[in-house]
mmCIF file of all heavy atoms in Angstrom:
data_model
loop_
_atom_site.group_PDB
_atom_site.id
_atom_site.type_symbol
_atom_site.label_atom_id
_atom_site.label_comp_id
_atom_site.label_asym_id
_atom_site.label_seq_id
_atom_site.Cartn_x
_atom_site.Cartn_y
_atom_site.Cartn_z
ATOM 1 N N ARG A 14 -68.709 -3.813 -28.008
ATOM 2 C CA ARG A 14 -67.980 -4.683 -28.944
ATOM 3 C C ARG A 14 -66.487 -4.705 -28.616
ATOM 4 O O ARG A 14 -65.831 -5.748 -28.714
ATOM 5 C CB ARG A 14 -68.214 -4.210 -30.372
ATOM 6 C CG ARG A 14 -69.602 -4.526 -30.917
ATOM 7 C CD ARG A 14 -69.824 -3.838 -32.238
ATOM 8 N NE ARG A 14 -71.107 -4.225 -32.844
ATOM 9 C CZ ARG A 14 -71.791 -3.466 -33.696
ATOM 10 N NH1 ARG A 14 -71.316 -2.270 -34.043
ATOM 11 N NH2 ARG A 14 -72.928 -3.890 -34.204
ATOM 12 N N LEU A 15 -65.949 -3.549 -28.248
ATOM 13 C CA LEU A 15 -64.544 -3.498 -27.843
ATOM 14 C C LEU A 15 -64.310 -4.378 -26.627
ATOM 15 O O LEU A 15 -63.332 -5.136 -26.572
ATOM 16 C CB LEU A 15 -64.138 -2.054 -27.539
ATOM 17 C CG LEU A 15 -62.721 -1.874 -26.974
ATOM 18 C CD1 LEU A 15 -61.681 -2.227 -28.022
ATOM 19 C CD2 LEU A 15 -62.521 -0.450 -26.466
ATOM 20 N N TRP A 16 -65.195 -4.312 -25.636
ATOM 21 C CA TRP A 16 -65.060 -5.169 -24.463
ATOM 22 C C TRP A 16 -65.014 -6.637 -24.868
ATOM 23 O O TRP A 16 -64.168 -7.398 -24.388
ATOM 24 C CB TRP A 16 -66.229 -4.942 -23.508
ATOM 25 C CG TRP A 16 -66.292 -3.584 -22.882
ATOM 26 C CD1 TRP A 16 -65.288 -2.649 -22.841
ATOM 27 C CD2 TRP A 16 -67.407 -3.000 -22.213
ATOM 28 N NE1 TRP A 16 -65.718 -1.526 -22.190
ATOM 29 C CE2 TRP A 16 -67.019 -1.705 -21.784
ATOM 30 C CE3 TRP A 16 -68.696 -3.436 -21.935
ATOM 31 C CZ2 TRP A 16 -67.875 -0.858 -21.092
ATOM 32 C CZ3 TRP A 16 -69.561 -2.600 -21.236
ATOM 33 C CH2 TRP A 16 -69.162 -1.319 -20.824
ATOM 34 N N LEU A 17 -65.920 -7.032 -25.753
ATOM 35 C CA LEU A 17 -65.963 -8.432 -26.183
ATOM 36 C C LEU A 17 -64.649 -8.860 -26.827
ATOM 37 O O LEU A 17 -64.104 -9.924 -26.516
ATOM 38 C CB LEU A 17 -67.112 -8.642 -27.170
ATOM 39 C CG LEU A 17 -68.513 -8.801 -26.588
ATOM 40 C CD1 LEU A 17 -69.537 -8.828 -27.710
ATOM 41 C CD2 LEU A 17 -68.616 -10.082 -25.755
ATOM 42 N N ARG A 18 -64.148 -8.040 -27.743
ATOM 43 C CA ARG A 18 -62.914 -8.406 -28.455
ATOM 44 C C ARG A 18 -61.749 -8.570 -27.490
ATOM 45 O O ARG A 18 -60.970 -9.528 -27.583
ATOM 46 C CB ARG A 18 -62.574 -7.351 -29.512
ATOM 47 C CG ARG A 18 -63.515 -7.314 -30.683
ATOM 48 C CD ARG A 18 -62.945 -6.495 -31.825
ATOM 49 N NE ARG A 18 -62.721 -5.089 -31.465
ATOM 50 C CZ ARG A 18 -63.641 -4.146 -31.494
ATOM 51 N NH1 ARG A 18 -64.889 -4.459 -31.805
ATOM 52 N NH2 ARG A 18 -63.352 -2.894 -31.186
ATOM 53 N N GLU A 19 -61.626 -7.634 -26.575
ATOM 54 C CA GLU A 19 -60.483 -7.658 -25.669
ATOM 55 C C GLU A 19 -60.598 -8.776 -24.630
ATOM 56 O O GLU A 19 -59.609 -9.431 -24.292
ATOM 57 C CB GLU A 19 -60.340 -6.300 -24.977
ATOM 58 C CG GLU A 19 -59.907 -5.187 -25.914
ATOM 59 C CD GLU A 19 -58.532 -5.427 -26.514
ATOM 60 O OE1 GLU A 19 -57.676 -6.035 -25.834
ATOM 61 O OE2 GLU A 19 -58.318 -5.006 -27.674
ATOM 62 N N ILE A 20 -61.799 -9.010 -24.125
ATOM 63 C CA ILE A 20 -61.979 -10.083 -23.139
ATOM 64 C C ILE A 20 -61.710 -11.441 -23.778
ATOM 65 O O ILE A 20 -61.077 -12.317 -23.180
ATOM 66 C CB ILE A 20 -63.392 -10.020 -22.535
ATOM 67 C CG1 ILE A 20 -63.552 -8.755 -21.694
ATOM 68 C CG2 ILE A 20 -63.680 -11.263 -21.691
ATOM 69 C CD1 ILE A 20 -64.976 -8.490 -21.237
ATOM 70 N N GLU A 21 -62.174 -11.619 -25.012
ATOM 71 C CA GLU A 21 -61.975 -12.893 -25.701
ATOM 72 C C GLU A 21 -60.499 -13.191 -25.921
ATOM 73 O O GLU A 21 -60.085 -14.346 -25.994
ATOM 74 C CB GLU A 21 -62.718 -12.874 -27.035
ATOM 75 C CG GLU A 21 -62.737 -14.216 -27.743
ATOM 76 C CD GLU A 21 -63.576 -14.181 -29.005
ATOM 77 O OE1 GLU A 21 -63.796 -13.078 -29.549
ATOM 78 O OE2 GLU A 21 -64.006 -15.255 -29.449
ATOM 79 N N ASP A 22 -59.657 -12.155 -26.012
ATOM 80 C CA ASP A 22 -58.225 -12.351 -26.268
ATOM 81 C C ASP A 22 -57.416 -12.550 -24.985
ATOM 82 O O ASP A 22 -56.239 -12.878 -25.041
ATOM 83 C CB ASP A 22 -57.671 -11.153 -27.044
ATOM 84 C CG ASP A 22 -56.271 -11.405 -27.577
ATOM 85 O OD1 ASP A 22 -56.103 -12.379 -28.344
ATOM 86 O OD2 ASP A 22 -55.348 -10.647 -27.220
ATOM 87 N N ARG A 23 -58.035 -12.379 -23.840
ATOM 88 C CA ARG A 23 -57.310 -12.542 -22.581
ATOM 89 C C ARG A 23 -56.974 -14.012 -22.325
ATOM 90 O O ARG A 23 -57.698 -14.916 -22.747
ATOM 91 C CB ARG A 23 -58.151 -12.000 -21.413
ATOM 92 C CG ARG A 23 -58.230 -10.478 -21.355
ATOM 93 C CD ARG A 23 -59.172 -10.020 -20.275
ATOM 94 N NE ARG A 23 -58.864 -10.553 -18.947
ATOM 95 C CZ ARG A 23 -58.613 -9.803 -17.866
ATOM 96 N NH1 ARG A 23 -58.620 -8.486 -17.958
ATOM 97 N NH2 ARG A 23 -58.378 -10.364 -16.695
ATOM 98 N N ASP A 24 -55.903 -14.237 -21.580
ATOM 99 C CA ASP A 24 -55.526 -15.604 -21.222
ATOM 100 C C ASP A 24 -56.587 -16.279 -20.360
ATOM 101 O O ASP A 24 -56.732 -17.502 -20.395
ATOM 102 C CB ASP A 24 -54.186 -15.600 -20.479
ATOM 103 C CG ASP A 24 -53.022 -15.218 -21.380
ATOM 104 O OD1 ASP A 24 -53.162 -15.351 -22.619
ATOM 105 O OD2 ASP A 24 -51.986 -14.768 -20.854
ATOM 106 N N ASP A 25 -57.314 -15.467 -19.580
ATOM 107 C CA ASP A 25 -58.343 -16.022 -18.689
ATOM 108 C C ASP A 25 -59.740 -15.853 -19.277
ATOM 109 O O ASP A 25 -60.722 -15.740 -18.540
ATOM 110 C CB ASP A 25 -58.273 -15.374 -17.307
ATOM 111 C CG ASP A 25 -58.404 -13.850 -17.355
ATOM 112 O OD1 ASP A 25 -58.516 -13.291 -18.471
ATOM 113 O OD2 ASP A 25 -58.382 -13.215 -16.272
ATOM 114 N N ALA A 26 -59.832 -15.863 -20.603
ATOM 115 C CA ALA A 26 -61.131 -15.651 -21.259
ATOM 116 C C ALA A 26 -62.167 -16.676 -20.816
ATOM 117 O O ALA A 26 -63.354 -16.339 -20.674
ATOM 118 C CB ALA A 26 -60.962 -15.688 -22.778
ATOM 119 N N ASP A 27 -61.749 -17.914 -20.586
ATOM 120 C CA ASP A 27 -62.710 -18.947 -20.164
ATOM 121 C C ASP A 27 -63.388 -18.567 -18.852
ATOM 122 O O ASP A 27 -64.583 -18.835 -18.659
ATOM 123 C CB ASP A 27 -62.011 -20.294 -20.018
ATOM 124 C CG ASP A 27 -61.614 -20.900 -21.355
ATOM 125 O OD1 ASP A 27 -62.116 -20.410 -22.383
ATOM 126 O OD2 ASP A 27 -60.788 -21.825 -21.372
ATOM 127 N N ALA A 28 -62.639 -17.932 -17.970
ATOM 128 C CA ALA A 28 -63.196 -17.551 -16.679
ATOM 129 C C ALA A 28 -64.142 -16.366 -16.800
ATOM 130 O O ALA A 28 -64.906 -16.085 -15.863
ATOM 131 C CB ALA A 28 -62.061 -17.205 -15.708
ATOM 132 N N LEU A 29 -64.117 -15.697 -17.934
ATOM 133 C CA LEU A 29 -64.973 -14.533 -18.155
ATOM 134 C C LEU A 29 -66.073 -14.819 -19.175
ATOM 135 O O LEU A 29 -66.684 -13.894 -19.700
ATOM 136 C CB LEU A 29 -64.120 -13.350 -18.620
ATOM 137 C CG LEU A 29 -63.202 -12.750 -17.549
ATOM 138 C CD1 LEU A 29 -62.139 -11.855 -18.190
ATOM 139 C CD2 LEU A 29 -64.009 -11.974 -16.515
ATOM 140 N N PHE A 30 -66.320 -16.095 -19.424
ATOM 141 C CA PHE A 30 -67.335 -16.473 -20.409
ATOM 142 C C PHE A 30 -68.704 -15.899 -20.045
ATOM 143 O O PHE A 30 -69.445 -15.427 -20.913
ATOM 144 C CB PHE A 30 -67.411 -17.998 -20.512
ATOM 145 C CG PHE A 30 -68.476 -18.479 -21.464
ATOM 146 C CD1 PHE A 30 -68.250 -18.481 -22.835
ATOM 147 C CD2 PHE A 30 -69.702 -18.927 -20.985
ATOM 148 C CE1 PHE A 30 -69.238 -18.914 -23.712
ATOM 149 C CE2 PHE A 30 -70.693 -19.363 -21.854
ATOM 150 C CZ PHE A 30 -70.456 -19.355 -23.227
ATOM 151 N N ASP A 31 -69.037 -15.932 -18.761
ATOM 152 C CA ASP A 31 -70.343 -15.423 -18.337
ATOM 153 C C ASP A 31 -70.470 -13.924 -18.607
ATOM 154 O O ASP A 31 -71.547 -13.434 -18.981
ATOM 155 C CB ASP A 31 -70.586 -15.732 -16.859
ATOM 156 C CG ASP A 31 -69.516 -15.122 -15.954
ATOM 157 O OD1 ASP A 31 -68.374 -14.928 -16.427
ATOM 158 O OD2 ASP A 31 -69.817 -14.848 -14.779
ATOM 159 N N LEU A 32 -69.375 -13.189 -18.440
ATOM 160 C CA LEU A 32 -69.411 -11.757 -18.715
ATOM 161 C C LEU A 32 -69.599 -11.493 -20.206
ATOM 162 O O LEU A 32 -70.383 -10.612 -20.595
ATOM 163 C CB LEU A 32 -68.123 -11.100 -18.217
ATOM 164 C CG LEU A 32 -67.987 -9.600 -18.490
ATOM 165 C CD1 LEU A 32 -69.116 -8.822 -17.829
ATOM 166 C CD2 LEU A 32 -66.630 -9.081 -18.007
ATOM 167 N N MET A 33 -68.918 -12.273 -21.038
ATOM 168 C CA MET A 33 -69.090 -12.108 -22.486
ATOM 169 C C MET A 33 -70.525 -12.396 -22.892
ATOM 170 O O MET A 33 -71.098 -11.699 -23.734
ATOM 171 C CB MET A 33 -68.106 -13.010 -23.240
ATOM 172 C CG MET A 33 -66.664 -12.534 -23.164
ATOM 173 S SD MET A 33 -65.542 -13.442 -24.275
ATOM 174 C CE MET A 33 -65.326 -14.959 -23.355
ATOM 175 N N GLU A 34 -71.126 -13.409 -22.295
ATOM 176 C CA GLU A 34 -72.520 -13.719 -22.596
ATOM 177 C C GLU A 34 -73.453 -12.597 -22.158
ATOM 178 O O GLU A 34 -74.428 -12.282 -22.840
ATOM 179 C CB GLU A 34 -72.924 -15.033 -21.921
ATOM 180 C CG GLU A 34 -72.498 -16.264 -22.687
ATOM 181 C CD GLU A 34 -73.157 -16.331 -24.058
ATOM 182 O OE1 GLU A 34 -74.394 -16.269 -24.135
ATOM 183 O OE2 GLU A 34 -72.420 -16.428 -25.060
ATOM 184 N N GLU A 35 -73.130 -11.979 -21.032
ATOM 185 C CA GLU A 35 -73.960 -10.873 -20.556
ATOM 186 C C GLU A 35 -73.882 -9.686 -21.516
ATOM 187 O O GLU A 35 -74.898 -9.045 -21.823
ATOM 188 C CB GLU A 35 -73.496 -10.458 -19.155
ATOM 189 C CG GLU A 35 -74.400 -9.425 -18.505
ATOM 190 C CD GLU A 35 -74.017 -9.134 -17.070
ATOM 191 O OE1 GLU A 35 -73.154 -9.841 -16.523
ATOM 192 O OE2 GLU A 35 -74.582 -8.181 -16.494
ATOM 193 N N ILE A 36 -72.681 -9.414 -22.013
ATOM 194 C CA ILE A 36 -72.522 -8.317 -22.984
ATOM 195 C C ILE A 36 -73.269 -8.649 -24.271
ATOM 196 O O ILE A 36 -73.988 -7.808 -24.831
ATOM 197 C CB ILE A 36 -71.028 -8.067 -23.269
ATOM 198 C CG1 ILE A 36 -70.291 -7.641 -22.000
ATOM 199 C CG2 ILE A 36 -70.868 -6.996 -24.357
ATOM 200 C CD1 ILE A 36 -68.782 -7.615 -22.144
ATOM 201 N N LEU A 37 -73.117 -9.886 -24.726
ATOM 202 C CA LEU A 37 -73.811 -10.301 -25.949
ATOM 203 C C LEU A 37 -75.321 -10.189 -25.810
ATOM 204 O O LEU A 37 -76.018 -9.812 -26.755
ATOM 205 C CB LEU A 37 -73.428 -11.746 -26.296
ATOM 206 C CG LEU A 37 -72.162 -11.945 -27.122
ATOM 207 C CD1 LEU A 37 -71.825 -13.435 -27.209
ATOM 208 C CD2 LEU A 37 -72.334 -11.371 -28.523
ATOM 209 N N GLN A 38 -75.817 -10.521 -24.642
ATOM 210 C CA GLN A 38 -77.262 -10.454 -24.429
ATOM 211 C C GLN A 38 -77.776 -9.021 -24.584
ATOM 212 O O GLN A 38 -78.852 -8.793 -25.148
ATOM 213 C CB GLN A 38 -77.617 -11.010 -23.047
ATOM 214 C CG GLN A 38 -79.099 -11.041 -22.740
ATOM 215 C CD GLN A 38 -79.894 -11.925 -23.697
ATOM 216 O OE1 GLN A 38 -79.348 -12.802 -24.357
ATOM 217 N NE2 GLN A 38 -81.197 -11.698 -23.782
ATOM 218 N N THR A 39 -77.011 -8.056 -24.102
ATOM 219 C CA THR A 39 -77.453 -6.664 -24.266
ATOM 220 C C THR A 39 -77.483 -6.276 -25.741
ATOM 221 O O THR A 39 -78.346 -5.507 -26.165
ATOM 222 C CB THR A 39 -76.526 -5.693 -23.511
ATOM 223 O OG1 THR A 39 -75.234 -5.647 -24.124
ATOM 224 C CG2 THR A 39 -76.397 -6.094 -22.045
ATOM 225 N N ILE A 40 -76.557 -6.823 -26.513
ATOM 226 C CA ILE A 40 -76.525 -6.524 -27.946
ATOM 227 C C ILE A 40 -77.688 -7.211 -28.653
ATOM 228 O O ILE A 40 -78.313 -6.635 -29.550
ATOM 229 C CB ILE A 40 -75.164 -6.942 -28.546
ATOM 230 C CG1 ILE A 40 -74.035 -6.112 -27.924
ATOM 231 C CG2 ILE A 40 -75.164 -6.792 -30.065
ATOM 232 C CD1 ILE A 40 -72.635 -6.536 -28.349
ATOM 233 N N ARG A 41 -77.999 -8.437 -28.233
ATOM 234 C CA ARG A 41 -79.140 -9.150 -28.826
ATOM 235 C C ARG A 41 -80.442 -8.395 -28.572
ATOM 236 O O ARG A 41 -81.277 -8.242 -29.458
ATOM 237 C CB ARG A 41 -79.248 -10.555 -28.233
ATOM 238 C CG ARG A 41 -78.131 -11.508 -28.619
ATOM 239 C CD ARG A 41 -78.427 -12.914 -28.131
ATOM 240 N NE ARG A 41 -77.270 -13.771 -28.271
ATOM 241 C CZ ARG A 41 -76.508 -14.169 -27.242
ATOM 242 N NH1 ARG A 41 -76.810 -13.800 -26.010
ATOM 243 N NH2 ARG A 41 -75.459 -14.935 -27.451
ATOM 244 N N LEU A 42 -80.612 -7.935 -27.346
ATOM 245 C CA LEU A 42 -81.830 -7.207 -27.003
ATOM 246 C C LEU A 42 -81.934 -5.916 -27.804
ATOM 247 O O LEU A 42 -83.016 -5.535 -28.252
ATOM 248 C CB LEU A 42 -81.850 -6.909 -25.503
ATOM 249 C CG LEU A 42 -82.041 -8.112 -24.580
ATOM 250 C CD1 LEU A 42 -81.856 -7.708 -23.120
ATOM 251 C CD2 LEU A 42 -83.416 -8.736 -24.793
ATOM 252 N N GLU A 43 -80.811 -5.261 -27.981
ATOM 253 C CA GLU A 43 -80.816 -4.026 -28.754
ATOM 254 C C GLU A 43 -81.175 -4.294 -30.204
ATOM 255 O O GLU A 43 -81.929 -3.545 -30.831
ATOM 256 C CB GLU A 43 -79.441 -3.364 -28.652
ATOM 257 C CG GLU A 43 -79.383 -1.973 -29.252
ATOM 258 C CD GLU A 43 -78.143 -1.221 -28.805
ATOM 259 O OE1 GLU A 43 -77.738 -1.379 -27.632
ATOM 260 O OE2 GLU A 43 -77.588 -0.482 -29.623
ATOM 261 N N ARG A 44 -80.665 -5.404 -30.717
ATOM 262 C CA ARG A 44 -80.947 -5.763 -32.110
ATOM 263 C C ARG A 44 -82.421 -6.111 -32.288
ATOM 264 O O ARG A 44 -83.068 -5.707 -33.260
ATOM 265 C CB ARG A 44 -80.075 -6.952 -32.507
ATOM 266 C CG ARG A 44 -80.307 -7.514 -33.896
ATOM 267 C CD ARG A 44 -79.199 -8.520 -34.215
ATOM 268 N NE ARG A 44 -79.438 -9.192 -35.468
ATOM 269 C CZ ARG A 44 -79.877 -10.436 -35.581
ATOM 270 N NH1 ARG A 44 -80.149 -11.140 -34.505
ATOM 271 N NH2 ARG A 44 -80.054 -10.983 -36.756
ATOM 272 N N SER A 45 -82.992 -6.840 -31.331
ATOM 273 C CA SER A 45 -84.384 -7.265 -31.469
ATOM 274 C C SER A 45 -85.366 -6.108 -31.277
ATOM 275 O O SER A 45 -86.491 -6.151 -31.760
ATOM 276 C CB SER A 45 -84.698 -8.371 -30.467
ATOM 277 O OG SER A 45 -84.559 -7.886 -29.141
ATOM 278 N N SER A 46 -84.924 -5.059 -30.557
ATOM 279 C CA SER A 46 -85.818 -3.932 -30.298
ATOM 280 C C SER A 46 -85.702 -2.827 -31.341
ATOM 281 O O SER A 46 -86.472 -1.873 -31.310
ATOM 282 C CB SER A 46 -85.535 -3.342 -28.914
ATOM 283 O OG SER A 46 -84.211 -2.816 -28.865
ATOM 284 N N THR A 47 -84.734 -2.965 -32.246
ATOM 285 C CA THR A 47 -84.582 -1.947 -33.278
ATOM 286 C C THR A 47 -85.716 -2.072 -34.281
ATOM 287 O O THR A 47 -85.910 -3.140 -34.872
ATOM 288 C CB THR A 47 -83.235 -2.112 -34.014
ATOM 289 O OG1 THR A 47 -82.183 -2.007 -33.059
ATOM 290 C CG2 THR A 47 -83.066 -1.041 -35.084
#
């Protein structure tokens, strides 16, 4: 979650959209498997 917050605030956040999606996907999988 910290990674997501900090990456989203970067000036080049658009260029890191794929990385944010990858992090989110791991959180989604964790949520669905709980």
Side-chain angles (χ1 to χ4, degrees):
R14 286 171 175 154
L15 174 67
W16 294 345
L17 280 173
R18 291 193 298 276
E19 291 297 328
I20 293 171
E21 188 175 22
D22 191 58
R23 287 174 55 122
D24 291 339
D25 57 358
D27 289 346
L29 290 165
F30 178 80
D31 59 333
L32 177 60
M33 288 189 283
E34 279 298 305
E35 187 174 352
I36 298 170
L37 274 172
Q38 182 61 20
T39 68
I40 296 174
R41 292 187 191 106
L42 290 172
E43 188 165 323
R44 176 170 174 256
S45 63
S46 63
T47 301

